[in-house]
């Protein structure tokens, strides 16, 4: 039983499944700390995944796939930025529009290009980000205890390690750099930023761009590392789970990591528990698959304490009060 | 005196600014000497804040020139202003509540990609400034947890840290206790002694007299007078501020007051910060008389109106309307049914809905009335016909009930509201700023109507910042200052006496 809940395989798969959540959550964090609400994480990841899978299918190059995914996701992010910053539009509506556009566009283009009902063809290994063994770790695999640890830490794709490194980087940048200070300020009181002689629009665009890049990486990871092709709606609500994690984490980088790992763990358990019997009772698959989503609702409904969003988030900036 | 000191710190030449139809600054000229405290006084909406926001680069003037130390400058943004040594403490603080004092001070002046060195530098500078000006504040405190007085101090420190030579303060004492205000004035005095220039925007005459060297009076977007503070008086300033208008003559006979309709007893209303905006106010209004409430705007009149009309609850005290406590009557709808009509001060936001047809605005608050339909159905034909009749009676032009409310001129909008409120034969009419932004013809019409209502035996409570209007309509005049009733006078009171009361000076009490 312990092996089932806390075994190396479960924990390793927790990390694998957490990566897109962490990336999306950080994307949301950058965006919302600057005052731009981003419901469109899901859509940006999805279109990123599609762009990555398509590029990989056509050219067989994972890095090119990553680049194209970032560019496409960024383009979607800039549409959101234009609506939210220049046009002072409703940010939720704009985000929802991006989600719908991405879901539809991916299937239509996929069908046109590959004729497989919106899927892309399975990707060969060179077109994917494959697991890498960290140097020296494989020697430890057979050592008791330490070996289990080594198997959890090692054997992930490069994107996973980049993602984990982004967490401390984000925390540090927000707390210690000029850019981070200004970004936090603009999400709390853009008037203070404006009167300090700093451009509110510019800062918010920078945040939106970061969110776009991170969602592009997340999409690439989902299509080329977690899976080996694009399938319609393959992000499966991860963008929304990331938003839940963001609220859960009170818009902070380190807590965001833990929240995403928790959600990733629930997803991993969902897969692992399929077919497992407790006595004569077999848990229905649907119920297990439901777990992360139920948990999201439960956590948001009351388990977390007071969660305070950036004060100006969702409010378009205008000079007049 | 060196030549440098002769050059004015700031010169504003021919500044003109419009916001849509509002002419906020009309050809404003202003000279501010170095090393002085210069007051700019005027009522709310006189254009003081707009003018200073232009100087600080927050808005751009349509026309005009700004010179700093004799140099003509184009100030395109706040960063230009800051770079030329202009700092501003806004009425609403420009602070990030979740930041520490240090982080707020450093914002916009980080001096490098990492904020560590700037924070250390700011910590040192704050310690230095704290010593020099008696402005102690914990650099690591979170802004949102500090009292407003300290928050304001941080605003000043922020400006000084960024090298401000000229400091603009916009209504700095509005949020301060008298003690805090005194401390602020001491600090400003020290700043002047150090050669800094201070511009103080306020509508409080006392502050001008207490601290400034020179004073500029603004009214309706224009500079109307400049004085050397030593050579002027509260009376002179009050007169310049309120202004003399051509007195509109209103024919009226003596009032025949009868029973008390409205009895306001010791009413206090505190805002979220716990500041008493209405402070222990008591008065009565009788049937058949007009009671006018005079005062410079922002002295609690608006809040008093809200409390009496049932929009907000008083923090303490009681309001009795025709023998019943307003607290029991609960909400504006019941009050209206009991015969209390209200023409709100802010007609565009509270009086009508600008995007609605006039006929729809004309039945606001009466939409559930049985005469306009049955059950949940509203009979549009009846609504339109009724409005058309009201429009003809009140000479609303154009008399088109289907035109959007916002398309009518101010005067005609006001007539639509007045018609609506009077139509149900109220016992008490509360009117806020009845003729603000209304043309002369409509003013006359509205004034006649109000007198006519009085003669019918209605009780009328009139709140206006136009002293002339108060004097020509009221049978009794109550003057409010800083939320308190400064005094009550009868209709024969002269302008100077009322002006002094409006400035918070009570000769009888003194």
């Amino acid at each position: 039983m312990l092996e089932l809940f806390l075994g190396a395989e479960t924990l390793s798969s927790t990390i694998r499944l957490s990566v897109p959540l962490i990336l999306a959550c950080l994307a949301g964090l950058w965006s919302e700390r600057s005052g731009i609400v981003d419901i469109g994480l899901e859509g940006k990841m999805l279109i990123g995944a599609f762009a990555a899978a398509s590029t990989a299918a056509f050219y067989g190059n994972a890095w090119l796939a990553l680049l194209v995914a970032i560019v496409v996701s960024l383009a979607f992010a800039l549409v959101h930025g234009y609506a939210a910053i220049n046009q002072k539009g409703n940010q939720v509506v704009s985000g929802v529009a991006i989600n719908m556009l991405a879901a539809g566009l991916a299937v239509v283009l996929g069908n046109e290009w590959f004729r497989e009902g919106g899927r892309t063809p399975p990707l060969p290994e060179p077109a994917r980000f494959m697991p890498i063994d960290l140097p020296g770790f494989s020697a430890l695999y057979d050592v008791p205890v330490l070996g289990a640890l080594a198997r959890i830490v090692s054997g992930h794709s490069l994107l996973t390690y980049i993602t984990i490194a982004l967490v401390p980087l984000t925390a540090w940048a927000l707390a210690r750099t000029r850019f981070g200070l200004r970004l936090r300020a603009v999400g709390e009181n853009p008037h203070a930023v404006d009167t300090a002689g700093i451009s509110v629009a510019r800062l918010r665009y920078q945040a939106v761009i970061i969110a776009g890049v991170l969602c592009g990486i997340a999409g690439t990871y989902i299509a080329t590392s977690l899976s080996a092709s694009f399938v319609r709606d393959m992000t499966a609500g991860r963008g929304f789970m990331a938003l839940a994690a963001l609220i859960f984490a009170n818009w902070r980088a380190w807590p965001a990591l833990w929240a995403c790992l928790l959600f990733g763990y629930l997803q991993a358990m969902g897969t692992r528990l399929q077919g497992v019997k407790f006595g004569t009772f077999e848990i229905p698959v649907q119920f297990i698959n439901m777990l992360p989503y139920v948990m999201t609702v439960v956590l948001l409904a009351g388990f977390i304490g007071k969660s305070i969003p950036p004060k100006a988030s969702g409010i378009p900036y205008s000079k007049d009060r | 005196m060196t030549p440098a000191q002769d050059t004015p710190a700031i010169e504003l030449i021919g500044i003109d600014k419009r916001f849509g139809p509002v002419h906020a600054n009309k050809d404003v000229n202003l000279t501010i000497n170095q090393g002085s405290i210069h007051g700019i006084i005027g009522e709310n909406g006189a254009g003081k804040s707009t003018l200073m926001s232009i100087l600080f680069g927050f808005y751009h003037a349509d026309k005009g020139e700004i010179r700093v130390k004799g140099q003509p400058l184009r100030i395109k943004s706040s960063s230009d202003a800051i770079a030329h040594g202009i700092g501003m403490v806004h009425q609403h603080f420009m602070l990030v509540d979740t930041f520490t004092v240090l982080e707020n001070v450093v914002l916009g002046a980080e001096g490098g990609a990492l904020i560590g060195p700037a924070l250390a530098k700011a910590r040192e500078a704050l310690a230095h400034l704290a010593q020099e000006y008696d402005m102690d504040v914990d650099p690591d405190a979170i802004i949102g947890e500090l009292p407003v007085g300290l928050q304001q101090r941080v605003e000043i420190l922020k400006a000084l840290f960024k090298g401000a030579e000229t400091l603009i303060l916009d209504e700095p004492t509005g949020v301060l206790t008298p003690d805090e205000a005194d401390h602020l004035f001491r600090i400003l005095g020290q700043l002047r002694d150090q050669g800094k220039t201070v511009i103080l925007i306020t509508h409080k005459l006392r502050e001008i007299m207490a601290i400034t060297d020179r004073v500029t009076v603004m009214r309706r977007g224009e500079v109307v007078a400049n004085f050397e503070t030593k050579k002027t008086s509260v009376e002179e300033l009050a007169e310049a501020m309120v202004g003399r208008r051509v007195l509109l003559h209103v024919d009226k006979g003596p009032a025949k007051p009868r029973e008390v309709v409205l009895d306001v007893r010791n009413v206090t209303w505190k805002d979220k910060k716990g500041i008493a905006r209405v402070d222990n106010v008591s008065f009565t209004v009788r049937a058949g008389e007009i009671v006018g409430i005079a005062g410079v705007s922002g002295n609690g009149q608006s809040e008093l109106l809200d409390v009496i009309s049932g929009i907000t609850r008083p923090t303490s005290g009681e309001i009795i309307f025709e023998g019943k406590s307003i607290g029991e009557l609960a909400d504006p709808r019941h009050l209206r049914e009991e015969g209390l009509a209200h023409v709100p001060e802010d007609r565009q936001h509270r009086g009508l809905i600008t995007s609605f047809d006039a006929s729809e605005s004309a039945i606001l608050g009466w939409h559930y009335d049985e005469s306009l339909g049955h059950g949940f159905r509203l009979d549009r034909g009846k609504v339109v016909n009724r409005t058309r009749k009201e429009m003809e009676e009140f000479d609303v032009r154009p008399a088109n009930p289907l035109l959007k409310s916002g398309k009518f001129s101010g005067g005609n909008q006001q007539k639509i509201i007045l018609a609506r409120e009077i139509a149900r034969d109220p016992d008490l009419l509360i009117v806020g700023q009845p003729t603000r932004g209304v043309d002369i013809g409509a003013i006359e019409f509205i004034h006649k109507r109000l007198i006519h209502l009085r003669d019918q035996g209605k009780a009328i409570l009139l709140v206006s910042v136009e002293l002339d209007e108060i004097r020509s309509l009221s049978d009794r005049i109550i003057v409010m200052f800083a939320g308190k009733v400064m005094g009550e006078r009868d209709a024969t009171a002269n302008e100077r006496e009322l002006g002094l009361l409006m400035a918070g000076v009570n000769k009888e009490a003194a």
Side-chain angles (χ1 to χ4, degrees):
Chain A
M1 196 52 97
L2 188 68
E3 175 63 25
L4 175 68
F5 283 104
L6 288 173
E9 209 174 315
T10 307
L11 295 183
S12 176
S13 124
T14 294
I15 292 177
R16 261 200 310 283
L17 287 163
S18 298
V19 168
L21 292 177
I22 296 167
L23 285 166
C25 198
L26 291 179
L29 190 149
W30 280 103
S31 185
E32 300 207 354
R33 285 306 284 268
S34 84
I36 304 284
V37 166
D38 198 351
I39 300 285
L41 295 173
E42 179 84 2
K44 288 199 283 284
M45 275 199 290
L46 190 67
I47 204 71
F50 174 73
S54 302
T55 311
F58 283 129
Y59 301 103
N61 183 325
W63 288 101
L64 188 64
L66 177 64
L67 183 70
V68 173
I70 287 175
V71 169
V72 171
S73 168
L74 192 57
F76 273 61
L78 289 175
V79 170
H80 183 55
Y82 180 72
I85 301 165
N86 296 73
Q87 297 301 320
K88 307 188 194 302
N90 184 307
Q91 298 167 11
V92 173
V93 171
S94 163
V96 169
I98 279 178
N99 288 339
M100 287 163 58
L101 181 65
L105 201 62
V107 173
V108 169
L109 289 179
N111 213 17
E112 172 67 24
W113 291 341
F114 305 107
R115 306 266 169 219
E116 290 184 27
R119 292 163 158 271
T120 60
L123 300 174
E125 284 199 5
R128 299 179 57 202
F129 282 96
M130 296 306 288
I132 49 173
D133 279 320
L134 294 180
F137 273 63
S138 53
L140 296 171
Y141 283 178
D142 294 329
V143 182
V145 188
L146 218 55
L149 208 59
R151 270 179 286 150
I152 296 170
V153 175
S154 181
H156 296 285
S157 82
L158 184 64
L159 292 181
T160 304
Y161 298 113
I162 291 175
T163 300
I164 303 294
L166 282 173
V167 175
L169 186 70
T170 297
W172 174 81
L174 276 178
R176 299 290 167 84
T177 66
R178 171 174 59 193
F179 176 58
L181 182 80
R182 292 177 170 190
L183 192 102
R184 284 184 286 138
V186 84
E188 290 288 338
N189 185 359
H191 296 278
V193 171
D194 198 1
T195 50
I198 307 161
S199 163
V200 172
R202 195 186 141 115
L203 268 173
R204 289 192 164 168
Y205 263 113
Q206 285 168 334
V208 163
I209 286 170
I210 293 174
V213 171
L214 292 177
C215 284
I217 302 175
T220 308
Y221 178 85
I222 292 172
T224 68
S225 196
L226 209 53
S227 322
S229 70
F230 176 83
V231 186
R232 67 183 296 168
D233 297 332
M234 75 184 303
T235 45
R238 283 186 175 91
F240 295 103
M241 253 190 263
L243 282 178
L246 185 61
I247 297 169
F248 190 32
N250 215 351
W251 290 267
R252 283 164 199 283
W254 282 107
L257 174 67
W258 309 131
C260 290
L261 282 173
L262 175 66
F263 285 146
Y265 176 72
L266 291 173
Q267 283 187 328
M269 284 312 293
T271 328
R272 301 271 293 152
L273 280 174
Q274 284 174 21
V276 173
K277 285 185 182 168
F278 290 96
T280 56
F281 180 70
E282 190 184 328
I283 305 168
V285 175
Q286 290 84 353
F287 183 79
I288 294 163
N289 286 340
M290 193 168 88
L291 260 184
Y293 304 94
V294 171
M295 197 66 189
T296 307
V297 172
V298 169
L299 284 176
L300 286 184
F303 261 83
I304 49 171
K306 204 172 169 199
S307 178
I308 305 158
K311 209 185 282 168
S313 80
I315 307 164
Y317 176 67
S318 69
K319 280 181 188 277
D320 309 305
R321 298 201 155 222
Chain B
M1 202 180 264
T2 63
Q5 278 171 319
D6 286 341
T7 325
I10 307 282
E11 288 166 281
L12 299 175
I13 301 154
I15 299 288
D16 212 87
K17 175 74 183 171
R18 284 172 187 275
F19 293 104
V22 181
H23 206 162
N25 284 154
K26 293 178 207 165
D27 189 31
V28 171
N29 294 295
L30 183 63
T31 301
I32 291 166
N33 297 330
Q34 273 190 55
S36 73
I37 299 183
H38 192 115
I40 299 179
I41 194 161
E43 295 199 294
N44 288 355
K48 300 165 292 186
S49 294
T50 304
L51 186 67
M52 288 304 114
S53 292
I54 289 170
L55 175 56
F56 190 60
F58 206 54
Y59 294 131
H60 303 277
D62 300 333
K63 270 187 279 184
E65 190 180 297
I66 298 171
R67 286 188 197 161
V68 177
K69 290 181 185 161
Q71 293 289 315
L73 288 181
R74 281 201 54 74
I75 296 182
K76 291 194 283 291
S77 74
S78 301
S79 54
D80 288 346
I82 294 166
H84 288 100
I86 300 170
M88 183 157 178
V89 176
H90 295 259
Q91 196 173 355
H92 306 277
F93 299 150
M94 296 296 176
L95 296 169
V96 181
D97 282 348
T98 53
F99 279 18
T100 64
V101 169
L102 277 184
E103 284 176 318
N104 267 294
V105 166
V106 155
L107 184 67
E110 300 88 346
L114 298 181
I115 56 174
L119 289 177
K121 194 178 136 204
R123 188 181 294 276
E124 215 170 287
L126 286 197
H128 186 70
L129 287 168
Q131 228 174 9
E132 198 170 350
Y133 298 112
D134 186 18
M135 281 200 283
D136 213 6
V137 55
D138 174 11
D140 298 309
I142 301 289
I143 285 292
E145 293 166 5
L146 292 177
V148 279
L150 282 181
Q151 290 188 7
Q152 186 176 61
R153 202 172 289 178
V154 175
E155 280 279 46
I156 296 172
L157 290 168
K158 199 168 95 176
L160 293 177
F161 179 74
K162 290 176 185 175
E165 288 297 317
T166 300
L167 190 63
I168 308 165
L169 294 108
D170 190 359
E171 301 282 359
T173 58
V175 294
L176 300 183
T177 63
D179 275 354
E180 286 173 327
D182 286 345
H183 191 165
L184 172 69
F185 289 157
R186 278 202 300 280
I187 292 168
L188 296 184
Q190 281 172 315
L191 287 170
R192 169 184 51 193
D193 297 344
Q194 300 274 334
K196 309 246 187 225
T197 307
V198 176
I199 304 175
L200 178 70
I201 306 175
T202 182
H203 62 258
K204 296 179 186 166
L205 290 163
R206 270 177 205 283
E207 296 174 0
I208 293 290
M209 297 310 288
I211 181 94
T212 63
D213 301 311
R214 288 186 62 79
V215 52
T216 296
V217 184
M218 285 187 78
R219 174 155 34 98
R220 287 180 201 159
E222 290 174 285
V223 168
V224 291
N226 282 294
F227 298 107
E228 202 170 315
T229 309
K230 268 183 258 164
K231 293 182 183 161
T232 185
S233 63
V234 172
E235 288 89 341
E236 194 175 23
L237 285 174
E239 211 172 284
M241 211 170 126
V242 179
R244 283 178 190 280
R245 274 200 315 169
V246 185
L247 226 167
L248 292 161
H249 184 67
V250 185
D251 281 322
K252 61 169 187 178
K256 300 184 187 86
R258 301 199 313 267
E259 76 283 1
V260 170
V261 174
L262 181 73
D263 187 358
V264 177
R265 297 179 188 164
N266 306 102
V267 165
T268 295
W269 183 81
K270 290 182 178 168
D271 65 11
K272 274 186 209 152
K273 287 173 178 159
I275 296 170
R277 296 289 176 191
V278 178
D279 197 351
N280 198 19
V281 167
S282 303
F283 62 90
T284 58
V285 184
R286 293 169 177 273
E289 69 170 352
I290 298 179
V291 173
I293 295 189
V296 176
S297 67
N299 275 291
Q301 303 98 312
S302 307
E303 291 81 0
L304 182 65
L305 276 180
D306 282 357
V307 171
I308 296 178
S309 58
I311 294 168
T312 52
R313 293 286 171 84
T315 313
S316 65
E318 205 178 9
I319 301 163
I320 310 289
F321 172 57
E322 296 190 319
K324 289 179 199 156
S325 163
I326 278 191
E328 288 164 37
L329 294 167
D331 61 51
R333 171 171 165 178
H334 284 98
L335 284 172
R336 189 174 269 134
E337 283 169 354
E338 291 285 331
L340 186 153
H342 179 204
V343 176
E345 282 186 314
D346 188 348
R347 87 177 67 97
Q348 305 261 352
H349 286 114
R350 287 186 168 177
L352 37 75
I353 300 172
T354 49
S355 59
F356 273 22
D357 288 354
S359 64
E360 291 167 326
S361 280
I363 60 156
L364 284 178
W366 296 107
H367 45 277
Y368 48 82
D369 196 88
E370 283 295 312
S371 70
L372 296 173
H374 292 287
F376 60 87
R377 213 177 70 85
L378 198 60
D379 188 330
R380 252 189 102 70
K382 281 184 183 166
V383 172
V384 171
N385 283 332
R386 215 185 92 128
T387 308
R388 186 169 288 128
K389 250 200 292 182
E390 280 177 2
M391 287 178 140
E392 277 160 15
E393 198 196 326
F394 276 78
D395 192 28
V396 175
R397 292 174 221 180
N400 178 3
L402 298 179
L403 194 66
K404 295 265 177 277
S405 312
K407 299 273 185 203
F408 290 88
S409 71
N412 285 306
Q413 287 179 356
Q414 192 69 306
K415 286 183 191 171
I416 293 172
I417 298 168
L418 203 61
R420 176 182 77 208
E421 297 300 325
I422 293 175
R424 301 297 159 127
D425 196 26
D427 300 325
L428 170 66
L429 180 67
I430 305 173
V431 204
Q433 319 299 348
T435 56
R436 182 187 277 170
V438 167
D439 58 285
I440 300 281
I443 290 178
E444 213 179 335
F445 183 90
I446 290 168
H447 283 178
K448 274 187 185 155
R449 271 286 169 171
L450 292 177
I451 295 292
H452 180 64
L453 272 176
R454 180 198 78 166
D455 293 344
Q456 284 180 326
K458 311 293 184 197
I460 297 175
L461 178 64
L462 166 74
V463 173
S464 175
V465 293
E466 301 291 351
L467 193 52
D468 292 330
E469 180 167 79
I470 294 276
R471 290 182 66 222
S472 56
L473 289 179
S474 312
D475 301 308
R476 285 191 291 134
I477 299 168
I478 291 167
V479 182
M480 279 186 79
F481 174 77
K484 293 190 181 71
V485 171
M486 278 307 288
E488 187 180 323
R489 297 288 184 269
D490 61 20
T492 59
N494 70 42
E495 197 173 33
R496 172 156 293 194
E497 190 180 357
L498 292 170
L500 276 177
L501 284 173
M502 287 166 71
V505 183
N506 193 338
K507 284 254 165 82
E508 281 170 22

